[in-house]
Amino acid sequence: MVTLNYALAKVLEYSAPLGVVEVVPLWDSVGRVLASDITSDINMPPFNKSAVDGYACKIADLNQPLSVAEVIAAGQMPKIEIKQGTCSKIMTGAPVPLGAECVIMVEEVEELQSNQIKFTGTYSKTNIALFAEDVKVGDVVLKKGVSIEPQHIAILAAVGVSNVEVSAKPKVAILVTGDELVEPNVSPTQSQIRNSNGHQLYAQIVRAGGTPIYGGIIDDTQSSTYKAIQNALNESNIVVLTGGVSMGDFDFVPKVLSDLGVEILFQTIAVQPGKPTLFGVKGNKLVFGLPGNPVSSLFQFDFLVRSAIIAMMEGSNPVRPIVKVPIAQTYKRRNADRLALVPATINGDGEALPIDYHGSAHIFALANATCVIMVPIGAQKVEKGELVDVRSI
Ligand code: AMP
Ligand code: MG
């Protein structure tokens, strides 16, 4: 049995970058991993820009009536230089005219007759965004490895990138084992249950940035398992199996993987739930055998397979951050020989609240889970208010 940290380190060690770059239109790049550094082709702001709607003038003139020389709309160049005793009305985003030292806000101005105004506020700042104060031509604005979020789309758009170089998505095959399983569109007989895992995995692969290849439910026979895994190894970068990796009479996965020349690097992890989790490699292909129970499968995918997918795309954050949060109620357990992953939510007081659940088959309890509390090996009790490691899922 290996620790979860060891397991993750092994997975990352073997998750070689695919090294394949694709070019996608800007709108399609959200969720993808940037494959090159992005530099700016512009200065931002491109000119001294008014940050408010108001009047551009000299600071020494703020205590006297000023005559308005022109009105400058956004998108227009000013025509008149500001001289002593004059100002120009200016809109947010418009270039500040020569000679102006500040822009006073329209809310702090009294309009006098005969095209004159007077400042009624107290001067505190210029309200001018200076030329190139945000970004200069040639600055690196985004680094290779960024997972593209909407705010990155704004940056790409601002520097003129309408086609984006992103890493190719790893292909991830899903193979579901278990003779008791039927698909969601089928009514289970007395001894059957629906395959929830396979579909959960599909969604997790999409979220992580991979391309799922759904291989369906395989019979619990050695020959079917062999054929399905052989085929999956050929057509994907990562094979994810669920079920069939523990000690049952029909758990053929480890044997078949050995027969196919997959080197098994670990087969059990000191984690609860999710102990029977297998990881193997064949060349640059990765194989994960996840437990059949959907809660275990959810967690083990999130802790290991997700990281492998991101690492293959050279994403800069393959591992989710862990934060320290006080626990909302005392947590106890009898056996502390494994790391406990406790489904939880964050309550209104900002504390991690464990969700009441019956074990790793109880997916219904997870409807409201947003995170997991990680109770370390050796800890039998965590008192209410103590800080615990919490990770989102
Ligand atoms: P196994 O790992 O094959 O021994 O399965 C462990 C438990 O998870 C058994 O109760 C299975 O019925 C259940 N299980 C296995 N695969 C799935 C699946 N795809 N969806 C839901 N439950 C599953
Ligand atoms: Mg099974």
Side-chain angles (χ1 to χ4, degrees), residues 24-32 153 166:
V24 296
L26 182 60
W27 287 354
D28 295 340
S29 70
V30 68
R32 304 294 298 266
I153 299 280
V166 295

Side-chain angles (χ1 to χ4, degrees), residues 261-341:
V262 174
E263 183 193 351
I264 294 174
L265 295 162
F266 57 79
Q267 214 166 323
T268 48
I269 306 179
V271 66
Q272 156 84 49
K275 182 175 154 191
T277 297
L278 175 152
F279 174 59
V281 294
K282 184 175 182 180
N284 54 4
K285 313 251 169 161
L286 310 185
V287 180
F288 292 89
L290 303 185
N293 274 315
V295 178
S296 313
S297 176
L298 180 82
F299 290 170
Q300 294 319 311
F301 182 98
D302 201 70
F303 277 80
L304 302 175
V305 190
R306 176 181 176 275
S307 293
I309 292 172
I310 297 171
M312 282 187 167
M313 297 185 292
E314 294 178 80
S316 40
N317 296 309
V319 182
R320 288 193 199 273
I322 292 170
V323 292
K324 298 263 185 210
V325 178
I327 195 164
Q329 63 194 36
T330 297
Y331 170 88
K332 281 188 211 155
R333 58 175 172 162
R334 240 175 279 139
N335 189 341
D337 63 356
R338 289 187 268 162
L339 170 80
L341 302 177

Side-chain angles (χ1 to χ4, degrees), residues 352-381:
L353 177 66
I355 280 172
D356 200 15
Y357 95 126
H358 309 149
S360 58
H362 192 190
I363 34 169
F364 300 99
L366 284 225
N368 301 317
T370 54
C371 56
V372 287
I373 298 171
M374 302 169 70
V375 183
I377 292 174
Q380 276 184 312
K381 192 176 183 189

Side-chain angles (χ1 to χ4, degrees), residues 26-30 142 148-158 161:
L26 182 60
W27 287 354
D28 295 340
S29 70
V30 68
L142 291 174
I148 299 173
E149 298 285 341
Q151 66 270 32
H152 304 124
I153 299 280
I155 294 170
L156 291 165
V161 179

Side-chain angles (χ1 to χ4, degrees), residues 225-242:
T225 309
Y226 187 98
K227 268 188 228 128
I229 299 176
Q230 188 178 42
N231 185 39
L233 278 168
N234 284 334
E235 65 178 6
S236 62
N237 307 103
I238 302 176
V239 179
V240 181
L241 292 128
T242 90

